[in-house]
Amino acid sequence: MNKNPNKNIDNSDIKIGLQAIAFKEFLDNRHTVIISDENLFRLYPEVFEDFDKIILPSGEDTKSLKTIEFIISEFVKLNLDRNSFIIGFGGGVICDITGFVASIFMRGLSFGFVPSTLLAQIDAAIGGKNGVNFGNHKNYIGCFNNPEFVICDPILLNTLSDQEYKSGLGEVLKYALITNKNELFTYLNKNTELILNKNQKILNFIIKKCVQIKSDIVAKDPFDKGFRQILNFGHSFAHCVEKIENIPHGIAVVYGMKIALKIAFNEGFLNSECQNEILSFFAKFGFDKEIILRDEHFEILKGDKKKNSDSIKLVIIRDIGKPDFYELPIDDIKDLLK
Ligand code: GLY
């Protein structure tokens, strides 16, 4: 299933600033099927011209085994063989589904991604994690397998809703905090207005930079055994916040990072000057609110962790560019956040 697990995405694999349709140059006459969703099919019909396609409903509910069965039955009808090629054109849900179904059908077909959201371009499409949910259990079924290519086209971001764009920015801010200041933090601070206005040149730079940051981290720990988990900064709390407040993932990640910063400060790992600098940075991008965790959040947090222990391996930062891990019991978190 895992044809080339150690293949890392380097700059030659990542095409930035091309039209999404540029994937045609990589197909080499292979029988190609595009998996996408209803929104993209409506917005960009020209991408699908001359291709077999499987169009799925939009949204997280689609990320299920039922969808995988449906896609496989479509693959059979389309007479795909081991030389066929699958393209996932969509957000994180479509990339996760496509990578997984391509990896298991006939023991693995080649695939590529054309991610259509900022979040998918800088996170979901990069790093080889593919899969679906199992009931309420997020990403319980899946595999590690990398696409042949990822085409990130910032033009696609023009049709994103403000919320979806902000969600992607949340993950961009995360990368800025887990790497040295001069990698991204200073650049984002200097170009805030242009970023909020989706300036294409600036977005090209940011997407490329984030892809490089994530690829470098993944290269050190492709199967997520330890170091890669610094990418989870803000994520320990994001799941429960996302669920209870019903907000997009990347926005919840920023609330999660704020909670982690507070814990780091209260435990003496982070000084107040740095904490304030980061909070002003978030505010510049419109993340000025905070979420106070309630009992209902803690219940989900405990549910998430049941299979392991009652502790959380929290990602904290000691300074910008200095991520670290801090293991603590969930029951202590309430006290630390007072
Ligand atoms: N989204 C976190 C990771 O790929 O490890």
Side-chain angles (χ1 to χ4, degrees):
M1 185 194 312
N2 203 345
K3 203 170 69 176
N4 193 357
N6 292 319
K7 177 178 177 280
N8 294 310
I9 295 168
D10 63 29
N11 284 342
S12 61
D13 296 317
I14 299 156
K15 305 292 172 195
I16 303 272
L18 300 177
Q19 297 286 328
I21 209 88
F23 62 76
K24 285 183 180 175
E25 70 179 270
F26 301 111
L27 300 180
D28 301 329
N29 292 322
R30 286 176 288 185
H31 181 182
T32 299
V33 180
I34 302 179
I35 298 179
S36 190
D37 71 24
E38 292 156 341
N39 286 338
L40 288 160
F41 187 53
R42 184 173 41 82
L43 287 167
Y44 302 99
E46 67 276 19
V47 172
F48 300 85
E49 265 165 34
D50 307 326
F51 289 102
D52 283 324
K53 48 201 156 288
I54 299 174
I55 306 301
L56 302 172
S58 310
E60 185 77 17
D61 287 350
T62 299
K63 224 176 111 169
S64 67
L65 279 178
K66 216 168 121 200
T67 302
I68 298 298
E69 267 194 84
F70 168 72
I71 295 172
I72 289 175
S73 65
E74 294 298 296
F75 281 179
V76 173
K77 280 187 213 157
L78 291 168
N79 276 321
L80 296 198
D81 60 34
R82 301 218 46 215
N83 295 317
S84 304
F85 192 80
I86 315 298
I87 290 179
F89 174 38
V93 167
I94 291 293
C95 293
D96 284 1
I97 292 173
T98 301
F100 182 54
V101 75
S103 299
I104 60 171
F105 184 71
M106 291 188 169
R107 297 197 180 88
L109 306 187
S110 297
F111 61 100
F113 290 146
V114 184
S116 62
T117 64
L118 179 58
L119 194 129
Q121 291 181 355
I122 61 162
D123 185 16
I126 312 297
K129 283 185 180 176
N130 311 289
V132 294
N133 301 329
F134 184 67
N136 282 331
H137 303 288
K138 252 176 112 74
N139 302 321
Y140 259 36
I141 302 163
C143 62
F144 288 94
N145 196 9
N146 275 303
E148 259 184 31
F149 60 76
V150 179
I151 298 176
C152 297
D153 185 350
I155 291 161
L156 296 171
L157 308 185
N158 287 337
T159 47
L160 272 191
S161 70
D162 289 349
Q163 282 286 87
E164 283 303 326
Y165 185 61
K166 199 172 170 186
S167 178
L169 284 181
E171 292 280 358
V172 171
L173 303 190
K174 177 199 78 180
Y175 288 123
L177 296 179
I178 60 172
T179 50
N180 286 338
K181 251 183 168 173
N182 56 7
E183 288 283 330
L184 200 53
F185 184 88
T186 309
Y187 185 85
L188 297 181
N189 245 329
K190 220 162 54 189
N191 293 290
T192 312
E193 272 311 305
L194 291 167
I195 295 164
L196 292 173
N197 289 324
K198 297 186 185 167
N199 177 286
Q200 297 287 300
K201 205 170 143 222
I202 303 277
L203 279 175
N204 271 349
F205 174 85
I206 291 172
I207 294 166
K208 195 165 180 174
K209 183 54 101 179
C210 291
V211 168
Q212 268 166 356
I213 293 171
K214 180 159 182 185
S215 304
D216 288 348
I217 293 169
V218 170
K220 293 191 177 114
D221 179 18
F223 298 112
D224 205 11
K225 300 285 184 208
F227 178 71
R228 178 175 178 159
Q229 288 159 23
I230 62 168
L231 292 167
N232 293 344
F233 181 39
H235 286 65
S236 296
F237 303 110
H239 181 212
C240 64
V241 170
E242 191 177 339
K243 222 165 168 175
I244 303 275
E245 319 302 323
N246 197 18
I247 52 175
H249 175 73
I251 297 178
V253 166
V254 178
Y255 289 122
M257 288 192 283
K258 285 190 181 190
I259 297 168
L261 289 176
K262 207 166 178 176
I263 293 174
F265 173 72
N266 288 347
E267 288 292 76
F269 301 130
L270 180 72
N271 67 40
S272 63
E273 198 185 319
C274 186
Q275 190 190 22
N276 290 335
E277 187 179 10
I278 296 170
L279 292 179
S280 311
F281 174 65
F282 286 157
K284 275 179 85 174
F285 285 91
F287 296 101
D288 43 4
K289 294 198 205 92
E290 69 173 298
I291 299 270
I292 309 289
L293 295 184
R294 306 182 296 274
D295 288 345
E296 49 190 332
H297 293 107
F298 281 101
E299 256 155 53
I300 294 181
L301 205 56
K302 282 186 175 163
D304 282 353
K305 292 290 137 195
K306 241 177 214 147
K307 63 187 191 303
N308 284 335
S309 67
D310 290 328
S311 292
I312 278 189
K313 188 176 166 192
L314 189 64
V315 183
I316 52 151
I317 55 169
R318 293 176 180 272
D319 198 349
I320 297 166
K322 292 209 169 78
D324 205 348
F325 298 105
Y326 180 47
E327 179 120 22
L328 79 172
I330 295 175
D331 286 336
D332 290 3
I333 293 175
K334 260 187 200 175
D335 295 333
L336 278 171
L337 290 173
K338 275 180 190 156

